[in-house]
Amino acid sequence: MTGGGVRLVENAEALVRRIEQIEIEIDAMLEPVCARPSLIPPALLAPAKRTPKPRSAAASGQGAGIGSKIRDARRSIGMTQLELATATGIRRPNVARLERGGNTPTIETLRRVAAVLGISVASLVSAD
């Protein structure tokens, strides 16, 4: 790769890191507002009119079960998605997709999430 190509890659990586930092800052700013629904204008709470998207293979299969188990375990210990993301090193939007079943997690992701939540990987992937 030429010197210019290396600089482009470095610039792109720096931009991605900045975007991730901004997402974390936005999540931190919104957390108090989301904790107090009375601060959210009623127009924003009204359901949006959207065309339903087709469900992904992960959402219709095992991924959705794992996601709901992660969400339930997280909620049972009073942890937010942002706290789980910070503790596991997974970006908060990816935690949300994982809980919705939109992402199929790797075994490493399952290990990190299970360790933070104090549960076993087996309990996340079990059929029950």
Side-chain angles (χ1 to χ4, degrees):
M1 191 178 297
T2 65
V6 170
R7 278 193 297 271
L8 286 174
V9 169
E10 289 172 351
N11 289 342
E13 290 172 346
L15 288 172
V16 168
R17 285 191 300 273
R18 183 62 186 135
I19 290 168
E20 290 173 344
Q21 182 61 37
I22 290 169
E23 286 178 339
I24 291 170
E25 291 170 7
I26 290 170
D27 285 341
M29 287 187 294
L30 290 177
E31 186 120 12
V33 174
C34 292
R36 294 188 53 208
S38 62
L39 296 177
I40 301 172
L44 292 178
L45 294 175
K49 294 182 181 180
R50 300 185 326 195
T51 309
K53 291 196 280 186
R55 295 184 64 166
S56 67
S60 61
Q62 178 117 0
I66 292 171
S68 63
K69 290 177 184 179
I70 291 171
R71 181 185 59 243
D72 293 346
R74 176 183 59 78
R75 287 179 176 171
S76 74
I77 60 172
M79 182 179 275
T80 66
Q81 284 184 345
L82 180 59
E83 291 168 334
L84 179 60
T86 302
T88 59
I90 300 169
R91 292 177 51 223
R92 204 245 0 117
N94 291 338
V95 169
R97 276 191 287 278
L98 181 62
E99 288 185 357
R100 284 194 313 269
N103 285 359
T104 302
T106 64
I107 190 66
E108 180 56 31
T109 297
L110 290 175
R111 284 183 184 143
R112 291 183 353 211
V113 169
V116 169
L117 296 176
I119 57 177
S120 69
V121 173
S123 68
L124 291 176
V125 298
S126 66
D128 60 16

